[in-house]
Structures are given as C-alpha cells and as structure tokens.
Coordinates of all heavy atoms in Angstrom, one line a residue:
M683 N -77.1 96.6 -187.5 CA -77.5 97.2 -186.3 C -77.3 98.8 -186.5 O -76.4 99.3 -187.0 CB -76.4 96.8 -185.2 CG -76.9 97.0 -183.8 SD -75.7 96.4 -182.6 CE -76.3 94.9 -182.2
S684 N -78.4 99.5 -186.1 CA -78.4 100.9 -186.2 C -77.5 101.6 -185.3 O -77.1 101.0 -184.2 CB -79.8 101.4 -186.2 OG -80.3 101.3 -184.8
K685 N -77.2 102.8 -185.5 CA -76.2 103.6 -184.7 C -76.8 103.7 -183.1 O -76.0 103.6 -182.3 CB -76.1 105.0 -185.3 CG -74.8 105.6 -184.9 CD -74.5 106.9 -185.8 CE -73.1 107.4 -185.5 NZ -73.0 108.3 -184.4
E686 N -78.0 103.9 -183.1 CA -78.6 104.1 -181.7 C -78.4 102.9 -180.9 O -78.3 103.0 -179.7 CB -80.1 104.3 -181.8 CG -80.5 105.6 -182.4 CD -80.7 105.5 -183.9 OE1 -79.9 104.8 -184.6 OE2 -81.5 106.1 -184.4
N687 N -78.4 101.7 -181.5 CA -78.4 100.5 -180.7 C -77.0 100.0 -180.4 O -76.8 98.9 -179.9 CB -79.2 99.3 -181.4 CG -80.6 99.6 -181.4 OD1 -81.1 100.4 -180.6 ND2 -81.4 99.1 -182.2
K688 N -75.9 100.8 -180.8 CA -74.6 100.4 -180.7 C -74.2 100.5 -179.1 O -73.3 99.7 -178.7 CB -73.7 101.3 -181.4 CG -72.9 100.5 -182.5 CD -72.0 101.4 -183.3 CE -70.6 101.2 -183.1 NZ -69.7 102.0 -183.8
F689 N -74.7 101.4 -178.4 CA -74.5 101.5 -177.0 C -75.8 101.4 -176.2 O -76.9 101.9 -176.7 CB -73.8 102.9 -176.7 CG -72.6 103.0 -177.5 CD1 -72.5 103.6 -178.7 CD2 -71.3 102.5 -177.0 CE1 -71.2 103.8 -179.3 CE2 -70.1 102.6 -177.6 CZ -70.1 103.3 -178.8
C690 N -75.6 100.9 -175.1 CA -76.8 100.9 -174.2 C -77.3 102.4 -173.9 O -76.4 103.2 -173.6 CB -76.5 100.2 -172.9 SG -77.8 100.4 -171.6
Q691 N -78.6 102.6 -174.0 CA -79.0 103.9 -174.0 C -79.3 104.3 -172.4 O -79.9 105.4 -172.1 CB -80.3 104.3 -174.8 CG -80.0 104.2 -176.3 CD -78.9 105.3 -176.6 OE1 -79.1 106.5 -176.4 NE2 -77.8 104.9 -177.2
S692 N -78.9 103.5 -171.5 CA -79.0 103.8 -170.2 C -77.6 104.1 -169.5 O -77.4 105.0 -168.8 CB -79.7 102.8 -169.4 OG -79.6 102.9 -168.1
C693 N -76.6 103.1 -169.8 CA -75.3 103.2 -169.2 C -74.2 103.5 -170.2 O -73.1 103.9 -169.8 CB -75.0 101.9 -168.4 SG -74.8 100.5 -169.5
G694 N -74.4 103.3 -171.4 CA -73.4 103.7 -172.4 C -72.5 102.5 -172.8 O -71.6 102.7 -173.5
M695 N -72.7 101.4 -172.2 CA -71.9 100.3 -172.5 C -72.1 99.8 -173.9 O -73.3 99.8 -174.4 CB -72.2 99.1 -171.5 CG -71.3 97.9 -171.8 SD -71.7 96.6 -170.6 CE -73.0 95.8 -171.2
P696 N -71.0 99.5 -174.7 CA -71.2 98.9 -176.0 C -72.0 97.6 -175.9 O -71.7 96.7 -175.1 CB -69.8 98.6 -176.4 CG -68.8 99.4 -175.6 CD -69.6 99.6 -174.2
M697 N -73.1 97.6 -176.8 CA -73.9 96.4 -176.6 C -73.2 95.1 -177.0 O -73.6 94.0 -176.5 CB -75.1 96.6 -177.7 CG -76.1 97.7 -177.2 SD -76.8 97.4 -175.5 CE -78.3 96.4 -176.0
S698 N -72.1 95.3 -177.8 CA -71.3 94.1 -178.2 C -70.6 93.5 -177.0 O -70.3 92.3 -177.0 CB -70.2 94.4 -179.2 OG -69.5 95.4 -178.7
K699 N -70.5 94.2 -175.9 CA -69.9 93.8 -174.6 C -70.8 93.1 -173.8 O -70.5 92.5 -172.6 CB -69.2 94.9 -173.9 CG -68.0 95.5 -174.6 CD -66.7 95.1 -173.9 CE -65.6 95.9 -174.2 NZ -65.0 95.8 -175.5
D700 N -72.1 93.2 -174.1 CA -73.1 92.6 -173.2 C -73.2 91.0 -173.5 O -73.5 90.7 -174.6 CB -74.6 93.2 -173.5 CG -75.6 92.7 -172.5 OD1 -75.4 91.8 -171.8 OD2 -76.6 93.3 -172.6
P701 N -72.9 90.3 -172.4 CA -72.9 88.8 -172.7 C -74.4 88.3 -173.1 O -74.4 87.2 -173.8 CB -72.5 88.2 -171.4 CG -72.7 89.3 -170.3 CD -72.5 90.6 -171.1
Q702 N -75.4 89.0 -172.7 CA -76.8 88.5 -173.0 C -77.2 89.1 -174.4 O -78.3 88.8 -174.9 CB -77.8 89.0 -172.0 CG -77.4 88.6 -170.6 CD -77.5 87.2 -170.2 OE1 -78.3 86.6 -170.7 NE2 -76.7 86.8 -169.3
G703 N -76.5 90.1 -174.9 CA -76.8 90.7 -176.2 C -78.0 91.7 -176.1 O -78.6 92.0 -177.1
G704 N -78.4 92.1 -174.9 CA -79.4 93.1 -174.8 C -80.3 92.8 -173.5 O -80.2 91.7 -173.0
G705 N -81.1 93.7 -173.1 CA -82.0 93.5 -172.0 C -83.1 92.6 -172.4 O -83.3 92.2 -173.4
T706 N -84.0 92.5 -171.4 CA -85.2 91.6 -171.8 C -86.5 92.4 -171.5 O -86.6 93.1 -170.4 CB -85.3 90.3 -171.0 OG1 -85.1 90.6 -169.5 CG2 -84.3 89.3 -171.3
N707 N -87.5 92.3 -172.4 CA -88.8 92.9 -172.2 C -89.6 92.1 -171.3 O -89.2 90.8 -170.9 CB -89.4 93.1 -173.6 CG -88.7 94.1 -174.5 OD1 -88.4 95.2 -174.0 ND2 -88.5 93.7 -175.7
A708 N -90.8 92.6 -170.9 CA -91.6 91.9 -170.0 C -92.2 90.5 -170.6 O -92.4 89.6 -169.9 CB -92.9 92.7 -169.6
D709 N -92.3 90.5 -172.0 CA -92.7 89.3 -172.6 C -91.5 88.3 -173.0 O -91.7 87.5 -173.7 CB -93.5 89.5 -173.9 CG -92.7 90.3 -174.9 OD1 -91.4 90.5 -174.6 OD2 -93.2 90.7 -176.0
D710 N -90.3 88.6 -172.4 CA -89.2 87.9 -172.5 C -88.5 88.0 -173.8 O -87.5 87.3 -174.1 CB -89.5 86.3 -172.3 CG -88.4 85.6 -171.5 OD1 -87.8 86.3 -170.7 OD2 -88.2 84.3 -171.7
S711 N -88.9 88.9 -174.7 CA -88.2 89.2 -175.9 C -87.0 90.1 -175.6 O -87.0 90.6 -174.5 CB -89.2 89.9 -177.0 OG -89.6 91.0 -176.4
K712 N -86.1 90.2 -176.5 CA -84.9 91.0 -176.3 C -85.2 92.5 -176.4 O -86.0 92.9 -177.3 CB -83.8 90.6 -177.3 CG -83.1 89.4 -177.0 CD -81.7 89.8 -176.4 CE -80.9 88.5 -175.9 NZ -81.4 88.2 -174.5
N713 N -84.6 93.2 -175.6 CA -84.6 94.7 -175.7 C -83.2 95.2 -176.2 O -82.2 95.0 -175.4 CB -85.0 95.4 -174.4 CG -85.2 96.8 -174.6 OD1 -84.3 97.5 -174.9 ND2 -86.3 97.3 -174.4
L714 N -83.1 95.7 -177.4 CA -81.9 96.0 -177.9 C -81.4 97.5 -177.6 O -80.4 97.9 -178.0 CB -81.7 95.8 -179.5 CG -82.0 94.3 -179.8 CD1 -82.1 94.2 -181.3 CD2 -80.8 93.4 -179.2
K715 N -82.3 98.2 -176.9 CA -81.9 99.6 -176.7 C -81.1 99.7 -175.3 O -80.2 100.6 -175.2 CB -83.2 100.5 -176.5 CG -83.0 101.9 -176.4 CD -84.2 102.7 -176.3 CE -84.8 103.0 -177.7 NZ -86.0 103.8 -177.6
Y716 N -81.4 98.7 -174.5 CA -80.8 98.7 -173.1 C -80.1 97.4 -172.9 O -80.5 96.4 -173.4 CB -81.8 99.0 -172.0 CG -82.5 100.3 -172.2 CD1 -83.9 100.3 -172.4 CD2 -81.8 101.6 -172.1 CE1 -84.5 101.5 -172.6 CE2 -82.4 102.7 -172.3 CZ -83.8 102.8 -172.5 OH -84.5 103.9 -172.7
C717 N -78.9 97.4 -172.2 CA -78.2 96.2 -171.9 C -78.9 95.4 -170.9 O -79.8 95.8 -170.2 CB -76.7 96.6 -171.7 SG -76.6 97.1 -170.0
S718 N -78.3 94.1 -170.7 CA -79.0 93.2 -169.7 C -78.7 93.7 -168.3 O -79.4 93.1 -167.4 CB -78.5 91.8 -169.9 OG -77.0 91.7 -169.8
Y719 N -77.7 94.5 -168.1 CA -77.4 94.9 -166.7 C -78.4 96.0 -166.3 O -78.8 96.2 -165.1 CB -76.0 95.6 -166.7 CG -74.9 94.5 -167.0 CD1 -74.1 94.6 -168.1 CD2 -74.7 93.6 -166.1 CE1 -73.2 93.8 -168.4 CE2 -73.7 92.6 -166.3 CZ -73.0 92.7 -167.5 OH -71.9 91.8 -167.8
C720 N -78.9 96.8 -167.3 CA -79.7 98.0 -167.0 C -81.2 97.5 -167.0 O -82.1 98.1 -166.3 CB -79.6 99.0 -168.0 SG -78.0 99.8 -167.9
Y721 N -81.6 96.6 -168.0 CA -83.0 96.5 -168.2 C -83.4 94.9 -168.2 O -82.8 94.2 -169.1 CB -83.3 97.0 -169.6 CG -84.7 97.4 -169.9 CD1 -85.3 98.4 -169.3 CD2 -85.5 96.5 -170.8 CE1 -86.7 98.7 -169.5 CE2 -86.8 96.8 -171.0 CZ -87.4 98.0 -170.4 OH -88.7 98.2 -170.6
Q722 N -84.2 94.5 -167.4 CA -84.5 93.1 -167.3 C -86.1 93.0 -167.0 O -86.6 93.7 -166.2 CB -83.8 92.4 -166.2 CG -82.4 92.2 -166.5 CD -81.6 91.2 -165.7 OE1 -82.1 90.9 -164.6 NE2 -80.4 91.0 -166.0
N723 N -86.8 92.0 -167.7 CA -88.2 91.8 -167.5 C -89.0 93.1 -167.7 O -89.9 93.2 -166.9 CB -88.4 91.0 -166.2 CG -87.7 89.8 -166.1 OD1 -87.6 89.0 -167.1 ND2 -87.0 89.6 -164.9
G724 N -88.6 93.9 -168.6 CA -89.4 95.1 -168.9 C -89.2 96.2 -167.8 O -90.0 97.2 -167.9
A725 N -88.2 96.2 -167.0 CA -88.0 97.3 -166.1 C -86.5 97.5 -165.9 O -85.7 96.6 -166.0 CB -88.6 96.9 -164.7
F726 N -86.2 98.7 -165.5 CA -84.9 99.1 -165.2 C -84.4 98.5 -163.9 O -85.2 98.5 -163.0 CB -84.7 100.7 -165.2 CG -84.8 101.3 -166.5 CD1 -85.8 102.1 -166.8 CD2 -83.7 101.1 -167.5 CE1 -85.9 102.7 -168.1 CE2 -83.8 101.7 -168.8 CZ -84.9 102.5 -169.1
T727 N -83.2 98.0 -163.9 CA -82.7 97.5 -162.6 C -82.3 98.5 -161.6 O -82.2 98.1 -160.4 CB -81.5 96.6 -163.0 OG1 -80.5 97.3 -163.7 CG2 -81.8 95.3 -163.8
F728 N -82.0 99.6 -162.1 CA -81.6 100.7 -161.2 C -82.6 101.9 -161.3 O -82.9 102.4 -162.4 CB -80.2 101.2 -161.5 CG -79.8 102.2 -160.5 CD1 -79.0 101.8 -159.4 CD2 -80.0 103.6 -160.6 CE1 -78.5 102.8 -158.4 CE2 -79.5 104.5 -159.7 CZ -78.8 104.1 -158.6
D729 N -83.2 102.3 -160.1 CA -84.2 103.3 -160.2 C -83.6 104.5 -159.4 O -83.3 104.4 -158.3 CB -85.4 102.8 -159.4 CG -86.6 103.7 -159.8 OD1 -86.6 104.4 -160.8 OD2 -87.5 103.7 -159.1
G730 N -83.4 105.6 -160.1 CA -82.8 106.8 -159.4 C -82.5 107.8 -160.4 O -82.9 107.7 -161.7
T731 N -81.9 108.9 -160.0 CA -81.4 110.0 -160.9 C -80.2 109.5 -161.7 O -79.5 108.6 -161.3 CB -81.1 111.2 -160.1 OG1 -80.0 111.0 -159.4 CG2 -82.2 111.7 -159.2
V732 N -79.9 110.3 -162.7 CA -78.7 110.0 -163.5 C -77.4 110.2 -162.7 O -76.4 109.4 -162.8 CB -78.6 110.9 -164.8 CG1 -78.5 112.4 -164.5 CG2 -77.5 110.4 -165.7
K733 N -77.4 111.1 -161.8 CA -76.2 111.3 -160.9 C -76.0 110.1 -160.1 O -74.9 109.6 -159.8 CB -76.4 112.5 -160.1 CG -76.1 113.8 -160.7 CD -75.5 114.8 -159.8 CE -74.9 116.1 -160.5 NZ -74.3 115.9 -161.6
E734 N -77.1 109.6 -159.5 CA -77.0 108.4 -158.7 C -76.5 107.1 -159.4 O -75.7 106.4 -159.0 CB -78.4 108.0 -158.0 CG -78.7 109.0 -156.9 CD -80.2 108.9 -156.5 OE1 -81.0 108.3 -157.1 OE2 -80.5 109.4 -155.5
F735 N -77.0 107.0 -160.7 CA -76.7 106.0 -161.6 C -75.2 106.0 -161.9 O -74.5 105.1 -162.0 CB -77.6 105.9 -162.7 CG -77.4 104.7 -163.6 CD1 -77.7 103.5 -163.1 CD2 -77.0 104.8 -164.9 CE1 -77.4 102.3 -163.8 CE2 -77.0 103.6 -165.7 CZ -77.1 102.4 -165.2
Q736 N -74.8 107.3 -162.2 CA -73.4 107.5 -162.6 C -72.5 107.0 -161.4 O -71.4 106.4 -161.7 CB -73.1 108.9 -162.9 CG -73.3 109.4 -164.3 CD -73.2 110.9 -164.5 OE1 -73.5 111.7 -163.6 NE2 -72.6 111.3 -165.6
E737 N -72.8 107.4 -160.3 CA -72.0 107.1 -159.1 C -72.0 105.5 -158.9 O -71.0 104.9 -158.7 CB -72.7 107.8 -157.9 CG -71.7 107.6 -156.6 CD -70.3 108.1 -156.9 OE1 -70.0 109.0 -157.7 OE2 -69.4 107.4 -156.3
F738 N -73.2 105.0 -159.1 CA -73.3 103.5 -159.0 C -72.4 102.7 -160.0 O -71.6 101.9 -159.7 CB -74.8 103.1 -159.2 CG -75.1 101.6 -159.2 CD1 -75.1 100.8 -158.1 CD2 -75.3 101.0 -160.5 CE1 -75.3 99.5 -158.2 CE2 -75.5 99.7 -160.6 CZ -75.6 98.9 -159.4
C739 N -72.4 103.2 -161.2 CA -71.7 102.5 -162.3 C -70.2 102.7 -162.0 O -69.3 101.9 -162.3 CB -72.0 103.1 -163.6 SG -73.7 102.5 -164.2
R740 N -69.8 104.0 -161.5 CA -68.5 104.2 -161.3 C -67.9 103.3 -160.2 O -66.9 102.7 -160.4 CB -68.2 105.7 -160.8 CG -66.9 106.2 -161.1 CD -67.0 107.8 -161.3 NE -67.9 108.5 -160.4 CZ -68.4 109.6 -160.6 NH1 -68.3 110.1 -161.8 NH2 -69.3 110.1 -159.8
Q741 N -68.6 103.1 -159.2 CA -68.2 102.2 -158.1 C -68.1 100.8 -158.6 O -67.1 100.1 -158.3 CB -69.2 102.2 -156.9 CG -69.3 103.5 -156.1 CD -67.9 104.0 -155.7 OE1 -67.0 103.1 -155.3 NE2 -67.6 105.2 -155.6
E742 N -69.1 100.4 -159.4 CA -69.1 99.0 -159.9 C -67.8 98.8 -160.8 O -67.2 97.7 -160.7 CB -70.3 98.8 -160.9 CG -71.6 98.6 -160.1 CD -71.8 97.3 -159.5 OE1 -71.9 96.4 -160.3 OE2 -71.7 97.2 -158.3
M743 N -67.5 99.7 -161.6 CA -66.3 99.6 -162.5 C -65.1 99.6 -161.7 O -64.2 98.8 -162.0 CB -66.3 100.8 -163.5 CG -67.3 100.7 -164.6 SD -67.0 102.1 -165.8 CE -65.6 101.4 -166.6
I744 N -64.9 100.4 -160.7 CA -63.7 100.4 -159.8 C -63.7 99.1 -159.1 O -62.5 98.5 -159.1 CB -63.8 101.6 -158.8 CG1 -63.6 102.9 -159.6 CG2 -62.7 101.5 -157.8 CD1 -63.9 104.2 -158.8
E745 N -64.7 98.6 -158.6 CA -64.7 97.3 -158.0 C -64.4 96.2 -158.9 O -63.7 95.2 -158.6 CB -66.1 97.0 -157.3 CG -66.1 97.6 -155.9 CD -67.5 97.5 -155.3 OE1 -68.3 96.6 -155.6 OE2 -67.9 98.6 -154.7
G746 N -64.7 96.4 -160.1 CA -64.4 95.4 -161.2 C -63.1 95.4 -161.8 O -62.7 94.8 -162.7
G747 N -62.2 96.4 -161.2 CA -60.9 96.4 -161.6 C -60.5 97.6 -162.5 O -59.3 97.7 -162.9
H748 N -61.4 98.3 -162.9 CA -61.1 99.6 -163.8 C -60.4 100.6 -162.9 O -60.9 100.7 -161.8 CB -62.2 100.1 -164.5 CG -62.8 99.1 -165.5 ND1 -63.7 98.1 -165.1 CD2 -62.7 99.0 -166.8 CE1 -64.0 97.4 -166.2 NE2 -63.4 97.9 -167.3
N749 N -59.6 101.4 -163.5 CA -59.1 102.6 -162.7 C -60.1 103.7 -162.7 O -61.0 103.7 -163.4 CB -57.7 103.0 -163.1 CG -57.6 103.6 -164.5 OD1 -58.6 104.4 -164.9 ND2 -56.7 103.3 -165.3
R750 N -59.8 104.6 -161.8 CA -60.8 105.8 -161.6 C -60.9 106.6 -162.8 O -62.0 107.1 -163.1 CB -60.4 106.6 -160.4 CG -60.5 105.9 -159.1 CD -60.0 106.6 -157.9 NE -60.3 105.8 -156.8 CZ -61.5 105.8 -156.0 NH1 -62.5 106.6 -156.5 NH2 -61.7 104.9 -155.1
F751 N -59.9 106.8 -163.6 CA -60.0 107.6 -164.7 C -60.9 106.9 -165.8 O -61.8 107.6 -166.4 CB -58.6 107.8 -165.3 CG -58.6 108.6 -166.6 CD1 -59.0 110.0 -166.6 CD2 -58.4 108.0 -167.9 CE1 -59.1 110.6 -167.8 CE2 -58.6 108.7 -169.0 CZ -58.9 110.0 -169.1
M752 N -60.7 105.6 -166.1 CA -61.5 104.9 -166.9 C -63.0 105.1 -166.5 O -64.0 105.2 -167.3 CB -61.1 103.4 -167.1 CG -59.9 103.2 -168.0 SD -60.1 103.9 -169.6 CE -61.4 102.9 -170.2
A753 N -63.2 104.8 -165.2 CA -64.6 104.8 -164.7 C -65.3 106.2 -164.9 O -66.4 106.3 -165.2 CB -64.6 104.4 -163.2
W754 N -64.4 107.2 -164.7 CA -64.9 108.6 -164.9 C -65.2 108.8 -166.4 O -66.3 109.3 -166.7 CB -63.9 109.7 -164.5 CG -64.2 111.0 -164.8 CD1 -65.1 111.9 -164.1 CD2 -63.7 111.7 -165.9 NE1 -65.2 113.0 -164.9 CE2 -64.3 113.0 -166.0 CE3 -62.7 111.4 -167.0 CZ2 -63.9 113.9 -166.9 CZ3 -62.4 112.4 -167.8 CH2 -63.0 113.7 -167.9
L755 N -64.3 108.4 -167.2 CA -64.5 108.6 -168.7 C -65.7 107.9 -169.2 O -66.5 108.4 -170.0 CB -63.2 108.0 -169.3 CG -63.0 108.4 -170.8 CD1 -62.5 109.9 -170.8 CD2 -61.8 107.5 -171.4
F756 N -66.0 106.7 -168.7 CA -67.1 105.9 -169.1 C -68.4 106.5 -168.7 O -69.4 106.5 -169.4 CB -67.0 104.5 -168.5 CG -68.1 103.6 -168.9 CD1 -68.0 102.8 -170.1 CD2 -69.1 103.3 -168.0 CE1 -69.0 102.0 -170.4 CE2 -70.1 102.5 -168.4 CZ -70.1 101.8 -169.6
T757 N -68.4 107.0 -167.5 CA -69.7 107.5 -167.0 C -70.0 109.0 -167.3 O -71.2 109.4 -167.1 CB -69.8 107.4 -165.4 OG1 -68.7 108.0 -164.8 CG2 -69.8 105.8 -165.0
R758 N -69.1 109.7 -167.7 CA -69.3 111.2 -167.8 C -70.4 111.6 -168.9 O -71.0 112.6 -168.7 CB -68.0 112.0 -168.0 CG -67.6 111.9 -169.4 CD -66.1 112.4 -169.6 NE -65.7 112.0 -171.0 CZ -65.2 112.7 -171.8 NH1 -65.0 114.0 -171.5 NH2 -64.8 112.2 -173.0
G759 N -70.4 110.8 -170.0 CA -71.4 111.2 -171.0 C -72.9 110.6 -170.8 O -73.6 110.7 -171.7
M760 N -73.0 109.9 -169.7 CA -74.3 109.3 -169.4 C -75.5 110.0 -169.5 O -76.6 109.7 -170.0 CB -74.1 108.6 -168.0 CG -74.6 107.2 -168.0 SD -74.3 106.5 -166.3 CE -73.1 105.3 -166.7
N761 N -75.4 111.3 -169.0 CA -76.6 112.2 -169.0 C -77.0 112.5 -170.4 O -78.2 113.1 -170.6 CB -76.4 113.4 -168.2 CG -75.2 114.2 -168.6 OD1 -74.5 113.8 -169.5 ND2 -75.0 115.4 -167.9
R762 N -76.3 112.2 -171.5 CA -76.7 112.5 -172.8 C -77.5 111.4 -173.4 O -77.9 111.4 -174.5 CB -75.6 112.9 -173.7 CG -75.0 114.3 -173.3 CD -74.2 114.8 -174.5 NE -72.9 114.0 -174.7 CZ -71.8 114.1 -174.1 NH1 -71.6 115.1 -173.2 NH2 -70.8 113.4 -174.4
L763 N -77.5 110.2 -172.8 CA -78.1 109.0 -173.3 C -79.6 109.1 -173.3 O -80.1 109.9 -172.5 CB -77.7 107.8 -172.6 CG -76.2 107.4 -172.7 CD1 -75.7 106.4 -171.7 CD2 -75.8 107.0 -174.1
E764 N -80.3 108.4 -174.1 CA -81.8 108.5 -174.3 C -82.6 108.4 -173.0 O -83.5 109.1 -172.8 CB -82.2 107.4 -175.3 CG -83.6 107.8 -175.9 CD -84.0 106.8 -176.9 OE1 -83.1 106.5 -177.8 OE2 -85.1 106.2 -176.9
R765 N -82.1 107.5 -172.2 CA -82.9 107.3 -170.9 C -82.9 108.6 -170.1 O -83.9 108.8 -169.4 CB -82.3 106.1 -170.1 CG -83.0 105.8 -168.9 CD -82.5 104.8 -168.1 NE -83.0 104.6 -166.7 CZ -82.6 104.0 -165.7 NH1 -81.5 103.1 -165.9 NH2 -83.3 103.9 -164.6
W766 N -81.9 109.3 -170.1 CA -81.7 110.4 -169.2 C -81.9 111.9 -169.8 O -82.0 112.9 -169.1 CB -80.3 110.4 -168.6 CG -79.9 109.1 -168.0 CD1 -79.1 108.2 -168.6 CD2 -80.4 108.5 -166.9 NE1 -78.9 107.1 -167.9 CE2 -79.7 107.2 -166.8 CE3 -81.3 108.8 -165.9 CZ2 -80.0 106.3 -165.8 CZ3 -81.6 107.9 -164.9 CH2 -80.9 106.7 -164.8
K767 N -82.0 111.8 -171.2 CA -82.0 113.1 -171.9 C -83.0 114.1 -171.4 O -82.6 115.3 -171.4 CB -82.2 112.8 -173.4 CG -80.9 113.1 -174.2 CD -81.3 113.2 -175.8 CE -81.7 112.0 -176.3 NZ -81.6 111.8 -177.7
N768 N -84.2 113.7 -171.2 CA -85.3 114.7 -170.8 C -85.4 114.8 -169.4 O -86.5 115.2 -168.8 CB -86.5 114.3 -171.5 CG -86.3 114.2 -173.1 OD1 -85.7 115.1 -173.6 ND2 -86.8 113.2 -173.6
K769 N -84.4 114.4 -168.5 CA -84.6 114.5 -167.1 C -83.6 115.7 -166.5 O -82.8 116.1 -167.1 CB -84.2 113.3 -166.5 CG -85.2 112.2 -166.9 CD -85.3 111.0 -166.0 CE -86.4 110.1 -166.4 NZ -86.3 108.8 -166.0
Ligands
LIG2198 ZN1 -76.8 99.5 -169.7

C-alpha cells in the first residue's frame, strides 16, 4: 500500500480502520483513496466546504464517544488532504 493510500484523502481516517476497506466507485469497484464513509458509488457522501466537513466529523466523533480534544486533533489537519488542498 502506498503512502498516499494510508489515510482517507477526504477525512484523514486510517484506511485500515475502514470496515469496508475503501470507498466504492460508480462501477462498484473499490476506491482506495477515500474511505467508505466519505465516498460511495462514485460520489462523496458529504457535499460542502472543508470547514463544514470538519465540523460534521467533529460532531460525529463526539457523538461516537470520542472526547473533544481527540475530535479536534483528528479534524485539524483535514484541509491539507488531497480532496481539499486546492480549495
Ligand atoms: Zn474518509
């Protein structure tokens, strides 16, 4: 697995933590750049700015039982990921 594919390039989650092992393309093949939470059937599941997405993920993590610090730590580098880099 190459370095780029170690983390989802949309949310930053380690791909090894993705129960589906990656997103899905429109033709049902695996997409290894984005995780199954971010990318399904060839489209992103969340449409919006990186700031909105950061906030969305932070809330999801807090609701999932992570503390606020971990949620902040996890989402703060998101704007450097490939999906958001040029926005
Ligand atoms: Zn993701």
